[in-house]
């Protein structure tokens, strides 16, 4: 079951899961999430990595109200940005993709990746202790992540915080607005403890957000008088952004109200539809891969979906569901999966070869289990790819193969006549047992 929970992060593509009455809401953010299980910590795949300032820039371009900000790569640039802001108070934020920055620690000795100050000179001093140093938070690797950029922004007081999101909901066959007057906290807690404070508006994909819907949502969020119209305007602009960038989710927490009577989006998470990359070139060009796992990046080049785990049996599977089942059955028989590798459909021999290169490059791997059900996939192509990889890579670890489906008899003939030390399995349970036994030997 624990492996199933881990794989959920991949299967949902960091999306949102909401039931119809919204008594339970799970929103997986675009930041890292970790699933602890039997000492295992997993960083699931994210489909597009944008830094905070990049998301704010997209919002700004759509007319959404955000704090004034600048981006700096050096302490001198940060100091100059602070002076240019000419603000009463300034907030300096280290730009990394992991959450928990405020409570993080730099290897320079500085505590906290988010700092407030009224003195521009202090911004330069703080940036000098941030840039080029590793920031460690509860969501980063043990050694932290190097900070290469900081955001220098105007600090605004917040008199009230609300929550607002637009996301795709399958039960409604399109986008919905979800809001709550209880913002600045985990929306999951609000949904669980006070579900009556969660409000939902279904959006007609052809008509868009109507004025009465936006005003009703603004009222439900607690905005009154002129602020209600201002909030409704921000809601409509956020929906425009949602459509413009092919988002699957735009989550603003908090959507805040300032003492001066402004409605401002203080923090936002945007999830994008990876299928829209072909028409969102400028957005996907901003993808920050510096913090991504190198193996995942290499896998993506060959259209392979890879997630590293901490076991020693490599899984080579087609289809997310079959991959999850394979990982679970390995665990059931006393083994530990070393990875989650989904070949998907339309596989070519070269992909199989590159997949084996990735798997054998992991020093933890002591056995490889291939589990293919050939529906779209031609098993003979898999078999040819396996034999090529085994010979050219001089495979040193035990290999167990279970093939079923399209052209399986030809595939088994190819493997048998190859003369390679490949262990055949009749079914998934048999394959898992043989892979675990191969390691014990």
């Amino acid at each position: 079951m624990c492996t199933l929970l881990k794989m959920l992060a991949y299967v949902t593509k960091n999306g949102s899961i909401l039931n119809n009455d919204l008594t339970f809401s799970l929103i997986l953010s675009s930041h890292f999430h970790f699933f602890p299980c039997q000492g295992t910590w997993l960083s699931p795949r994210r489909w597009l990595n944008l830094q905070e300032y990049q998301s704010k820039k997209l919002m700004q371009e759509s007319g959404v109200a955000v704090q004034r900000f600048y981006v700096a790569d050096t302490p001198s640039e940060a100091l100059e940005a602070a002076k240019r802001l000419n603000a009463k108070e300034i907030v300096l934020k280290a730009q990394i993709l992991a959450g928990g920055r405020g409570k993080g620690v730099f290897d320079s000795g500085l505590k906290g990746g988010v700092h407030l100050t009224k003195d521009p000179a202090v911004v330069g001093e703080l940036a000098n202790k941030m840039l080029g140093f590793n920031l460690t938070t509860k969501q980063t690797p043990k050694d932290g992540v190097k900070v290469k950029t900081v955001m220098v922004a105007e600090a605004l007081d917040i008199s009230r915080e609300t929550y607002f999101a637009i996301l795709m909901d399958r039960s409604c066959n399109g986008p919905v607005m979800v809001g709550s007057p209880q913002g600045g906290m985990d929306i999951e807690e609000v949904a669980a403890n006070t579900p009556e404070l969660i409000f939902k508006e279904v959006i007609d994909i052809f008509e868009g957000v109507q004025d009465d819907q936006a005003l009703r949502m603004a009222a439900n969020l607690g905005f009154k008088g002129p602020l209600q119209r201002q909030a409704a305007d921000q809601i409509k602009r956020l929906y425009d952004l949602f459509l413009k960038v092919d988002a699957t989710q735009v989550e603003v927490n908090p959507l805040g109200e300032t003492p001066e009577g402004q409605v401002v989006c203080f923090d936002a998470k945007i999830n994008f539809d990876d299928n829209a990359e072909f028409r969102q070139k400028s957005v996907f060009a901003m993808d920050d891969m510096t913090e991504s796992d190198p193996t995942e990046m290499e896998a993506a080049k060959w259209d392979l979906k890879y997630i590293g785990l901490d076991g020693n049996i490599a899984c080579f599977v087609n289809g997310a569901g079959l991959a999850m089942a394979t990982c679970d059955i390995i665990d059931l028989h006393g083994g530990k999966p070393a990875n989650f590798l989904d070949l998907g459909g339309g596989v070519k021999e070269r992909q199989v070869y590159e997949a084996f290169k990735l798997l054998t490059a992991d020093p933890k791997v002591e056995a490889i289990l291939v589990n293919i059900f050939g529906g779209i996939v031609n098993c003979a192509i898999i078999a040819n790819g396996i034999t090529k990889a085994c010979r050219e890579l001089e495979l040193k670890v035990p290999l167990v193969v279970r093939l079923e489906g399209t052209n399986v008899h030809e595939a088994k003939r190819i493997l048998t006549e190859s003369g390679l030390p490949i262990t055949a399995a009749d079914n998934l349970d048999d394959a898992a047992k043989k892979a675990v036994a191969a390691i014990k030997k």
Side-chain angles (χ1 to χ4, degrees), residues 32-205:
F32 286 109
H33 281 255
F34 294 84
F35 295 83
C37 178
Q38 297 180 4
T40 298
W41 291 85
L42 169 66
S43 168
R45 176 182 171 85
R46 288 162 303 136
W47 294 86
L48 178 60
N49 306 324
L50 293 191
Q51 298 284 4
E52 178 186 6
Y53 76 88
Q54 293 171 315
S55 295
K56 283 185 182 293
K57 183 181 178 184
L58 288 176
M59 295 172 74
Q60 203 174 48
E61 290 172 351
S62 292
V64 177
V66 299
Q67 300 151 281
R68 292 186 297 125
F69 71 92
Y70 295 102
V71 177
D73 299 326
T74 66
S76 59
E77 287 180 4
L79 174 60
E80 184 58 34
K83 291 178 179 176
R84 223 180 321 159
L85 276 174
N86 192 28
K88 291 181 180 178
E89 193 168 24
I90 302 159
V91 59
L92 179 67
K93 291 185 172 185
Q95 296 297 285
I96 63 171
L97 295 168
R101 290 172 295 172
K103 296 180 180 179
V105 178
F106 286 90
D107 56 7
S108 65
L110 180 67
K111 293 184 178 179
V114 179
H115 286 267
L116 286 167
T117 180
K118 296 180 179 179
D119 185 357
V122 174
V123 172
E125 295 170 9
L126 289 169
N128 195 44
K129 297 177 182 178
M130 290 184 177
L131 290 165
F133 293 98
N134 282 17
L135 174 59
T136 303
T137 77
K138 62 182 180 180
Q139 292 188 4
T140 63
K142 182 181 177 182
D143 296 329
V145 173
K146 182 174 286 189
V147 175
K148 299 178 180 178
T149 306
V150 293
M151 185 176 76
V152 185
E154 177 183 25
L156 297 175
D157 292 329
I158 307 176
S159 56
R160 200 173 63 84
E161 296 181 326
T162 73
Y163 172 91
F164 178 76
I166 303 169
L167 47 94
M168 299 301 292
D169 187 347
R170 289 187 180 184
S171 66
C172 300
N173 295 318
V176 298
M177 294 188 288
V178 179
S180 173
Q182 296 293 314
M185 62 181 74
D186 288 338
I187 193 64
E188 295 90 345
E189 291 183 20
V190 178
N193 299 328
T194 52
E196 69 277 6
L197 295 180
I198 298 289
F199 298 93
K200 175 180 174 181
E201 289 277 347
V202 178
I203 303 170
D204 186 313
I205 194 67

Side-chain angles (χ1 to χ4, degrees), residues 1 6 108 150 174 180 203 253-254 293 305 309 314 320 354 385 404 417 425 427 435 441:
M1 177 58 75
K6 293 174 188 174
S108 65
V150 293
S180 173
I203 303 170
N253 190 19
D293 182 276
K305 309 301 185 293
L309 303 176
E354 294 297 333
E404 196 60 68
E417 295 179 1
N427 52 55
K441 288 180 181 177

Side-chain angles (χ1 to χ4, degrees), residues 121-374:
V122 174
V123 172
E125 295 170 9
L126 289 169
N128 195 44
K129 297 177 182 178
M130 290 184 177
L131 290 165
F133 293 98
N134 282 17
L135 174 59
T136 303
T137 77
K138 62 182 180 180
Q139 292 188 4
T140 63
K142 182 181 177 182
D143 296 329
V145 173
K146 182 174 286 189
V147 175
K148 299 178 180 178
T149 306
V150 293
M151 185 176 76
V152 185
E154 177 183 25
L156 297 175
D157 292 329
I158 307 176
S159 56
R160 200 173 63 84
E161 296 181 326
T162 73
Y163 172 91
F164 178 76
I166 303 169
L167 47 94
M168 299 301 292
D169 187 347
R170 289 187 180 184
S171 66
C172 300
N173 295 318
V176 298
M177 294 188 288
V178 179
S180 173
Q182 296 293 314
M185 62 181 74
D186 288 338
I187 193 64
E188 295 90 345
E189 291 183 20
V190 178
N193 299 328
T194 52
E196 69 277 6
L197 295 180
I198 298 289
F199 298 93
K200 175 180 174 181
E201 289 277 347
V202 178
I203 303 170
D204 186 313
I205 194 67
F206 298 106
E207 300 295 332
V209 177
Q210 301 300 295
D211 284 342
D212 62 322
Q213 284 185 302
L215 287 167
R216 185 163 55 246
M217 178 59 76
N220 286 334
L221 296 182
F223 292 104
K224 304 183 187 307
L227 286 176
Q228 183 184 359
R229 170 56 67 182
Q230 193 181 144
D233 180 60
Q234 289 299 304
I235 286 170
K236 295 190 75 172
R237 288 171 189 252
L238 285 165
Y239 183 66
D240 289 341
L241 170 66
F242 180 85
L243 292 181
K244 179 182 174 182
V245 299
D246 284 303
T248 55
Q249 175 180 301
V250 174
E251 181 189 25
V252 181
N253 190 19
L255 175 64
E257 179 182 320
T258 71
E260 294 77 26
Q262 293 176 287
V263 178
V264 179
C265 297
F266 284 94
D267 198 5
K269 300 167 186 173
I270 306 177
N271 290 352
F272 301 87
D273 183 353
D274 56 293
N275 292 310
E277 181 177 0
F278 74 97
R279 66 183 182 195
Q280 295 292 343
K281 299 292 187 185
S282 61
V283 173
F284 279 76
M286 294 191 290
D287 195 0
D288 188 340
M289 303 297 287
T290 57
E291 297 173 37
S292 298
D293 182 276
T295 306
E296 289 187 21
M297 291 170 60
E298 182 62 27
K301 289 179 184 178
W302 301 99
D303 200 24
L304 303 169
K305 309 301 185 293
Y306 179 94
I307 298 174
L309 303 176
D310 65 352
N312 54 4
I313 299 177
C315 301
F316 181 89
V317 187
N318 67 313
L322 192 58
M324 292 165 68
T326 303
C327 289
D328 277 339
I329 292 183
I330 288 173
D331 197 67
L332 177 68
H333 290 297
K336 295 294 177 187
N339 67 275
F340 171 100
L341 193 151
D342 175 12
L343 284 168
V347 179
K348 296 179 174 62
E349 284 184 31
R350 182 62 188 271
Q351 284 176 291
V352 177
Y353 176 79
E354 294 297 333
F356 264 81
K357 279 179 67 177
L358 290 172
L359 297 178
T360 55
D362 184 349
K364 301 193 307 295
V365 170
E366 297 179 34
I368 297 175
L369 169 54
V370 176
N371 182 26
I372 300 294
F373 184 82

